[in-house]
Amino acid sequence: MMYNLITTGQEIPARLAPLLAEVFDIPLGDVDVSEESDLDSRNWGAEVTCEYSAVRGDLDWSMSFYTTDAVQPRPSEEALALKVAQSFGVAVLFPGTETVPNVWRVATSRGGLTRARVTEPEDEAEELTIDAVEDSVSEFPRATVTKFPEIIKELQLPSEVTDAHLPEGISEDRREVRGLLVNWERLTVRMATGWPPSAWYPAAMYVTDLELRDQTTEVIEQLPADEQRSAREALERIDQTYRALTVEDGGENLAKNVNVSVAGRAWYWHRRPPTAPWDIPGE
């Protein structure tokens, strides 16, 4: 198994081996921590190895960890990052589950988790910088505190209703309908599960989802009559879930936040989540 971490802090590599022995529950002699270019003095038979290199900028060390199959159990990358962060009092970055290369998860010295947007150097003269964080992190005082809308749609949420009625691999003329239904169903899943990944959802993105819901009805009507039934059944079920998860407000909240008029629009434009996820105090 492989782990990738980037950390703040001085002398981290020199202090790392005992911690790795503890985390992976192996003898200290089965751990090797070596500078990336050092190929001569490392222990090639170690069960757990760490290659590290110094970085310039807002972080100090880039580290790659490898374990053999014999090492069991093995913590998750998140668990290892939190252990390093809390043990050494540093901030530790590790890759997120979303496929946005410049957004990393951050384990803090107090045991918290947040995200950071990283600008990596294009050449040796530049520094690695943390441009923004979702929550304030003391090690990155210059970073802007903000939410990251680009990670929201990258999170692959389930779409069980759509899958049951229009499974993947359907004919090309039904793929557009499937895509629209998946988007609509995932909005309801976000509501029901607390708006992952950051318990936040921008109002403008919500408006886009409603606009796509408008298109869904139109696209279904363009299908051959014998193919409309399954799509309509899926849409009706998702609509029922949306109605159950929202409250009527006449479009007032959207009008206030994104200056959208809902006059003459479909019923779902007049509803919103009971606690709108864009109405976060302090945002």
Side-chain angles (χ1 to χ4, degrees):
M1 185 170 179
M2 181 176 178
Y3 304 79
N4 291 299
L5 307 180
I6 313 177
T7 81
T8 61
Q10 301 299 314
E11 306 297 331
I12 297 298
R15 303 161 61 193
L16 196 56
L19 179 65
L20 294 178
E22 175 191 343
V23 169
F24 291 99
D25 193 23
I26 59 175
L28 184 59
D30 285 333
V31 176
D32 179 80
V33 178
S34 298
E35 202 278 329
E36 187 177 55
S37 63
D38 179 9
L39 302 180
D40 297 325
S41 60
R42 65 177 59 184
N43 175 11
W44 292 101
E47 299 286 352
V48 174
T49 63
C50 169
E51 293 183 351
Y52 66 88
S53 61
V55 296
R56 299 174 60 244
D58 292 332
L59 291 144
D60 297 296
W61 304 100
S62 176
M63 302 184 293
S64 296
F65 303 82
Y66 306 86
T67 70
T68 67
D69 292 340
V71 178
Q72 295 292 340
R74 292 172 288 194
S76 65
E77 203 160 36
E78 176 182 306
L80 179 60
L82 282 167
K83 185 67 174 178
V84 173
Q86 292 177 281
S87 297
F88 298 139
V90 296
V92 180
L93 273 64
F94 61 101
T97 56
E98 305 85 16
T99 55
V100 181
N102 66 331
V103 175
W104 289 61
R105 300 292 304 280
V106 183
T108 70
S109 58
R110 294 185 177 182
L113 290 168
T114 186
R115 290 177 177 82
R117 185 182 291 123
V118 180
T119 298
E120 298 191 23
E122 295 184 2
D123 57 55
E124 293 183 358
E126 296 181 352
E127 296 184 342
L128 186 152
T129 58
I130 305 299
D131 298 322
V133 289
E134 281 194 325
D135 301 292
S136 179
V137 178
S138 60
E139 287 86 352
F140 310 128
R142 296 177 297 175
T144 301
V145 179
T146 184
K147 298 295 184 183
F148 300 152
E150 66 266 34
I151 68 175
I152 292 175
K153 294 294 184 177
E154 293 297 322
L155 183 63
Q156 298 301 298
L157 297 172
S159 52
E160 295 177 359
V161 173
T162 302
D163 292 345
H165 288 81
L166 286 87
E168 290 189 80
I170 59 177
S171 60
E172 186 172 351
D173 60 347
R174 297 169 72 191
R175 288 177 188 166
E176 182 180 6
V177 173
R178 173 180 161 77
L180 290 167
L181 287 170
V182 165
N183 185 78
W184 186 232
E185 183 173 2
R186 285 179 175 172
L187 177 62
T188 66
V189 174
R190 293 181 205 284
M191 290 190 207
T193 56
W195 303 99
S198 301
W200 172 79
Y201 202 73
M205 195 172 288
Y206 191 87
V207 167
T208 298
D209 290 330
L210 298 181
E211 292 171 341
L212 291 173
R213 169 62 181 84
D214 290 339
Q215 295 180 32
T216 306
T217 300
E218 298 169 5
V219 173
I220 289 176
E221 291 174 351
Q222 296 170 12
L223 291 173
D226 61 342
E227 295 187 2
Q228 290 186 18
R229 180 177 176 181
S230 61
R232 289 188 186 280
E233 288 177 351
L235 181 59
E236 288 173 5
R237 286 191 58 188
I238 301 167
D239 280 349
Q240 289 173 4
T241 302
Y242 176 85
R243 193 184 295 273
L245 291 169
T246 55
V247 296
E248 179 79 30
D249 85 332
E252 180 179 342
N253 188 286
L254 289 178
K256 180 183 72 174
N257 281 278
V258 287
N259 195 28
V260 170
S261 172
V262 302
R265 292 183 181 264
W267 61 272
Y268 41 84
W269 283 90
H270 298 259
R271 303 184 67 83
R272 63 165 177 83
T275 301
W278 46 87
D279 290 342
I280 298 176
E283 293 297 323

